[in-house]
Amino acid sequence: DSGVTQTPKHLITATGQRVTLRCSPRSGDLSVYWYQQSLDQGLQFLIQYYNGEERAKGNILERFSAQQFPDLHSELNLSSLELGDSALYFCASSLGPIVGTEAFFGQGTRLTVV
Amino acid sequence: AQKVTQAQTEISVVEKEDVTLDCVYETRDTTYYLFWYKQPPSGELVFLIRRNSFDEQNEISGRYSWNFQKSTSSFNFTITASQVVDSAVYFCALSAPAMVNTGFQKLVFGTGTRLLVSP
Protein backbone atom coordinates (compact mmCIF):
# COMPACT_ATOMS: atom_id res chain seq x y z
CA ASP A 1 0.00 0.00 0.00
CA SER A 2 1.57 3.25 -1.20
CA GLY A 3 -0.47 5.42 1.14
CA VAL A 4 -1.97 7.37 -1.78
CA THR A 5 -5.73 6.89 -2.02
CA GLN A 6 -7.73 7.41 -5.18
CA THR A 7 -11.47 7.25 -5.57
CA PRO A 8 -13.41 5.94 -7.30
CA LYS A 9 -11.53 2.91 -8.54
CA HIS A 10 -13.72 2.52 -11.60
CA LEU A 11 -15.95 4.98 -13.41
CA ILE A 12 -18.16 4.45 -16.43
CA THR A 13 -19.82 7.47 -17.98
CA ALA A 14 -21.24 8.70 -21.25
CA THR A 15 -19.72 11.08 -23.77
CA GLY A 16 -20.30 14.71 -22.98
CA GLN A 17 -20.49 14.14 -19.25
CA ARG A 18 -18.29 15.53 -16.47
CA VAL A 19 -16.55 13.53 -13.75
CA THR A 20 -14.39 14.25 -10.73
CA LEU A 21 -11.53 12.04 -9.63
CA ARG A 22 -10.26 12.36 -6.09
CA CYS A 23 -6.81 11.81 -4.59
CA SER A 24 -5.58 11.82 -1.02
CA PRO A 25 -1.77 12.00 -0.85
CA ARG A 26 0.42 10.17 1.63
CA SER A 27 0.46 11.73 5.05
CA GLY A 28 2.96 14.59 5.06
CA ASP A 29 3.36 14.81 1.29
CA LEU A 30 2.80 18.29 -0.10
CA SER A 31 3.15 17.57 -3.79
CA VAL A 32 0.48 15.90 -5.90
CA TYR A 33 0.85 14.85 -9.52
CA TRP A 34 -1.74 13.58 -11.98
CA TYR A 35 -0.86 11.17 -14.78
CA GLN A 36 -2.92 9.61 -17.55
CA GLN A 37 -2.19 6.12 -18.83
CA SER A 38 -3.72 5.24 -22.17
CA LEU A 39 -2.93 2.53 -24.67
CA ASP A 40 -1.78 4.90 -27.39
CA GLN A 41 -0.02 7.59 -25.30
CA GLY A 42 1.42 5.56 -22.44
CA LEU A 43 1.95 7.33 -19.11
CA GLN A 44 1.66 11.08 -19.56
CA PHE A 45 2.14 13.82 -16.99
CA LEU A 46 -0.90 16.07 -16.68
CA ILE A 47 -0.42 18.52 -13.84
CA GLN A 48 1.33 19.09 -10.50
CA TYR A 49 0.29 20.89 -7.35
CA TYR A 50 2.48 21.79 -4.42
CA ASN A 51 1.03 22.92 -1.13
CA GLY A 52 -2.18 24.07 -2.73
CA GLU A 53 -0.76 25.84 -5.75
CA GLU A 54 -0.49 24.72 -9.33
CA ARG A 55 3.20 24.38 -10.16
CA ALA A 56 3.49 22.65 -13.49
CA LYS A 57 1.37 21.60 -16.40
CA GLY A 58 1.97 18.87 -18.90
CA ASN A 59 -0.20 17.57 -21.68
CA ILE A 60 -3.46 18.46 -20.01
CA LEU A 61 -6.45 19.26 -22.17
CA GLU A 62 -8.39 22.49 -21.63
CA ARG A 63 -11.43 20.35 -20.81
CA PHE A 64 -9.54 19.03 -17.80
CA SER A 65 -8.83 20.96 -14.63
CA ALA A 66 -7.53 20.19 -11.18
CA GLN A 67 -7.11 21.70 -7.78
CA GLN A 68 -5.49 20.95 -4.46
CA PHE A 69 -7.41 21.82 -1.33
CA PRO A 70 -6.11 23.14 2.03
CA ASP A 71 -6.15 19.60 3.45
CA LEU A 72 -3.88 18.69 0.49
CA HIS A 73 -6.27 16.32 -1.20
CA SER A 74 -6.64 16.92 -4.91
CA GLU A 75 -9.38 16.58 -7.49
CA LEU A 76 -9.11 16.17 -11.23
CA ASN A 77 -12.15 17.35 -13.15
CA LEU A 78 -12.77 16.01 -16.64
CA SER A 79 -15.55 17.59 -18.67
CA SER A 80 -17.16 17.19 -22.10
CA LEU A 81 -15.83 13.68 -22.06
CA GLU A 82 -14.91 11.95 -25.29
CA LEU A 83 -14.32 8.29 -26.04
CA GLY A 84 -10.59 9.00 -26.25
CA ASP A 85 -10.52 10.12 -22.63
CA SER A 86 -10.96 6.53 -21.54
CA ALA A 87 -7.80 5.76 -19.60
CA LEU A 88 -6.32 4.94 -16.24
CA TYR A 89 -5.73 8.13 -14.25
CA PHE A 90 -3.07 8.04 -11.58
CA CYS A 91 -2.36 10.37 -8.75
CA ALA A 92 1.09 10.42 -7.17
CA SER A 93 2.48 12.28 -4.21
CA SER A 94 5.89 13.20 -2.92
CA LEU A 95 7.25 15.06 0.06
CA GLY A 96 9.00 17.83 -1.82
CA PRO A 97 8.27 19.90 -4.90
CA ILE A 98 10.62 17.98 -7.12
CA VAL A 99 10.06 14.43 -8.22
CA GLY A 100 13.60 13.52 -7.31
CA THR A 101 12.12 12.67 -4.00
CA GLU A 102 10.35 9.35 -4.14
CA ALA A 103 6.98 9.64 -5.83
CA PHE A 104 4.37 7.11 -4.79
CA PHE A 105 1.35 6.33 -6.92
CA GLY A 106 -2.20 5.50 -6.01
CA GLN A 107 -4.08 2.55 -7.46
CA GLY A 108 -5.56 4.66 -10.20
CA THR A 109 -9.06 5.41 -11.41
CA ARG A 110 -10.09 3.54 -14.51
CA LEU A 111 -12.35 5.78 -16.56
CA THR A 112 -14.43 4.31 -19.34
CA VAL A 113 -16.34 6.69 -21.59
CA VAL A 114 -19.11 5.04 -23.60
CA ALA B 1 13.99 16.67 -24.65
CA GLN B 2 14.08 13.90 -22.13
CA LYS B 3 13.24 10.44 -23.37
CA VAL B 4 13.18 6.90 -22.03
CA THR B 5 13.36 3.90 -24.31
CA GLN B 6 12.38 0.41 -23.30
CA ALA B 7 12.95 -1.52 -26.48
CA GLN B 8 11.68 -4.83 -25.14
CA THR B 9 7.91 -4.83 -25.47
CA GLU B 10 7.35 -8.26 -23.95
CA ILE B 11 9.57 -10.93 -22.43
CA SER B 12 8.52 -14.46 -21.58
CA VAL B 13 10.56 -16.64 -19.25
CA VAL B 14 10.09 -19.78 -17.27
CA GLU B 15 10.19 -19.63 -13.50
CA LYS B 16 13.69 -19.55 -11.99
CA GLU B 17 15.25 -18.01 -15.08
CA ASP B 18 17.11 -14.73 -14.73
CA VAL B 19 15.80 -11.85 -16.81
CA THR B 20 17.13 -8.37 -17.59
CA LEU B 21 14.92 -5.47 -18.56
CA ASP B 22 16.67 -2.77 -20.55
CA CYS B 23 16.25 0.96 -20.13
CA VAL B 24 18.04 3.64 -22.15
CA TYR B 25 17.48 7.31 -21.42
CA GLU B 26 18.26 10.67 -22.99
CA THR B 27 18.70 13.89 -21.07
CA ARG B 28 20.83 17.01 -21.14
CA ASP B 29 20.44 17.60 -17.42
CA THR B 30 23.51 16.98 -15.30
CA THR B 31 21.40 16.12 -12.27
CA TYR B 32 18.54 13.74 -12.77
CA TYR B 33 16.85 10.74 -11.21
CA LEU B 34 15.98 7.37 -12.64
CA PHE B 35 13.20 5.14 -11.39
CA TRP B 36 11.73 1.72 -11.92
CA TYR B 37 8.06 1.00 -11.28
CA LYS B 38 6.14 -2.26 -11.43
CA GLN B 39 2.55 -2.45 -12.65
CA PRO B 40 1.02 -5.83 -11.76
CA PRO B 41 -2.22 -7.01 -13.39
CA SER B 42 -4.19 -5.25 -10.64
CA GLY B 43 -3.08 -1.95 -12.18
CA GLU B 44 -1.34 0.02 -9.46
CA LEU B 45 2.14 1.45 -9.98
CA VAL B 46 4.56 0.16 -7.39
CA PHE B 47 7.76 2.08 -6.72
CA LEU B 48 10.85 -0.15 -6.89
CA ILE B 49 13.91 2.07 -6.92
CA ARG B 50 15.22 5.61 -7.36
CA ARG B 51 18.78 6.38 -8.42
CA ASN B 52 20.37 9.80 -8.78
CA SER B 53 22.76 10.65 -11.57
CA PHE B 54 25.76 10.96 -9.28
CA ASP B 55 25.46 7.49 -7.82
CA GLU B 56 26.59 4.85 -10.29
CA GLN B 57 26.88 2.10 -7.74
CA ASN B 58 24.88 -0.94 -8.63
CA GLU B 59 22.18 -1.89 -6.18
CA ILE B 60 20.84 -5.22 -5.10
CA SER B 61 17.63 -5.80 -3.20
CA GLY B 62 16.84 -9.46 -2.75
CA ARG B 63 16.29 -10.95 -6.19
CA TYR B 64 16.31 -7.52 -7.81
CA SER B 65 19.41 -5.71 -9.01
CA TRP B 66 19.99 -2.56 -10.99
CA ASN B 67 22.91 -1.62 -13.22
CA PHE B 68 23.35 2.10 -13.87
CA GLN B 69 25.88 3.11 -16.51
CA LYS B 70 26.10 6.78 -17.37
CA SER B 71 28.54 6.08 -20.21
CA THR B 72 25.83 4.23 -22.09
CA SER B 73 22.85 6.11 -20.57
CA SER B 74 21.39 2.87 -19.37
CA PHE B 75 19.66 1.77 -16.19
CA ASN B 76 18.95 -1.93 -16.54
CA PHE B 77 16.96 -4.07 -14.13
CA THR B 78 17.67 -7.74 -13.50
CA ILE B 79 15.41 -10.20 -11.73
CA THR B 80 17.23 -13.28 -10.54
CA ALA B 81 15.40 -16.60 -10.23
CA SER B 82 12.15 -15.13 -11.54
CA GLN B 83 8.83 -16.12 -10.01
CA VAL B 84 5.28 -16.11 -11.33
CA VAL B 85 4.51 -13.18 -9.03
CA ASP B 86 7.04 -11.12 -10.98
CA SER B 87 4.69 -11.10 -13.96
CA ALA B 88 3.87 -7.47 -14.56
CA VAL B 89 4.64 -4.48 -16.73
CA TYR B 90 7.80 -2.73 -15.66
CA PHE B 91 8.36 0.95 -16.35
CA CYS B 92 11.58 2.87 -16.33
CA ALA B 93 11.23 6.62 -15.72
CA LEU B 94 13.42 9.71 -15.77
CA SER B 95 12.96 12.99 -13.94
CA ALA B 96 12.61 16.01 -16.19
CA PRO B 97 11.75 19.68 -15.74
CA ALA B 98 7.98 20.09 -15.69
CA MET B 99 8.34 23.74 -16.59
CA VAL B 100 11.41 25.73 -17.47
CA ASN B 101 13.23 27.46 -14.60
CA THR B 102 10.77 26.44 -11.92
CA GLY B 103 12.65 23.60 -10.29
CA PHE B 104 9.52 21.50 -10.49
CA GLN B 105 9.93 18.20 -12.15
CA LYS B 106 7.85 15.45 -13.67
CA LEU B 107 8.48 11.82 -14.52
CA VAL B 108 8.98 10.81 -18.14
CA PHE B 109 8.10 7.16 -18.54
CA GLY B 110 9.19 4.57 -21.04
CA THR B 111 6.57 2.49 -22.80
CA GLY B 112 7.08 -0.40 -20.40
CA THR B 113 8.16 -4.02 -20.73
CA ARG B 114 5.62 -6.75 -20.07
CA LEU B 115 7.22 -9.66 -18.26
CA LEU B 116 5.46 -13.00 -18.33
CA VAL B 117 6.81 -15.65 -15.98
CA SER B 118 5.32 -19.08 -16.50
CA PRO B 119 5.51 -21.96 -14.02
Side-chain angles (χ1 to χ4, degrees):
Chain A
D1 184 359
S2 66
V4 179
T5 304
Q6 288 188 249
T7 57
K9 200 167 180 180
H10 300 277
L11 199 50
I12 301 175
T13 189
T15 54
Q17 296 297 306
R18 172 190 169 96
V19 297
T20 297
L21 313 183
R22 183 187 169 101
C23 169
S24 294
R26 290 188 319 157
S27 177
D29 283 356
L30 299 178
S31 216
V32 169
Y33 312 78
W34 286 97
Y35 283 79
Q36 179 194 58
Q37 185 180 27
S38 62
L39 284 175
D40 54 345
Q41 296 288 326
L43 272 157
Q44 297 284 320
F45 168 70
L46 295 179
I47 197 163
Q48 178 195 11
Y49 281 82
Y50 178 71
N51 205 18
E53 293 188 29
E54 181 185 306
R55 292 296 188 174
K57 266 186 173 179
N59 301 323
I60 188 167
L61 300 172
E62 285 190 11
R63 300 183 285 108
F64 296 179
S65 65
Q67 58 186 133
Q68 186 179 29
F69 295 86
D71 66 353
L72 301 177
H73 91 271
S74 177
E75 292 181 355
L76 178 67
N77 300 296
L78 315 176
S79 61
S80 302
L81 285 168
E82 302 174 358
L83 296 177
D85 297 326
S86 296
L88 190 52
Y89 291 85
F90 283 107
C91 168
S93 74
S94 64
L95 177 61
I98 62 172
V99 81
T101 51
E102 294 168 8
F104 292 88
F105 284 76
Q107 291 192 314
T109 293
R110 186 170 295 281
L111 173 67
T112 303
V113 182
V114 297
Chain B
Q2 289 78 5
K3 184 180 177 182
V4 174
T5 301
Q6 294 180 258
Q8 303 153 309
T9 306
E10 185 169 306
I11 301 175
S12 292
V13 299
V14 177
E15 222 173 5
K16 298 184 184 175
E17 282 186 33
D18 299 346
V19 58
T20 295
L21 309 182
D22 297 334
C23 172
V24 174
Y25 63 92
E26 296 175 30
T27 182
R28 291 183 180 175
D29 295 336
T30 53
T31 301
Y32 52 90
Y33 294 84
L34 293 160
F35 301 77
W36 275 94
Y37 286 87
K38 173 183 180 180
Q39 188 174 37
S42 50
E44 73 270 25
L45 278 169
V46 179
F47 170 84
L48 295 178
I49 191 171
R50 175 196 61 171
R51 170 69 70 211
N52 76 54
S53 53
F54 295 107
D55 182 2
E56 288 193 70
Q57 276 195 332
N58 291 331
E59 181 155 340
I60 298 174
S61 176
R63 295 184 298 107
Y64 294 170
S65 62
W66 291 269
N67 183 297
F68 176 32
Q69 292 195 336
K70 278 180 86 167
S71 60
T72 57
S73 297
S74 65
F75 186 43
N76 297 336
F77 173 30
T78 297
I79 302 174
T80 303
S82 58
Q83 300 176 1
V84 173
V85 293
D86 296 326
S87 296
V89 180
Y90 291 86
F91 290 94
C92 180
L94 167 69
S95 63
M99 290 181 75
V100 176
N101 296 328
T102 63
F104 289 95
Q105 297 185 312
K106 62 181 179 182
L107 286 174
V108 174
F109 284 87
T111 50
T113 296
R114 182 178 300 276
L115 175 64
L116 299 170
V117 183
S118 54

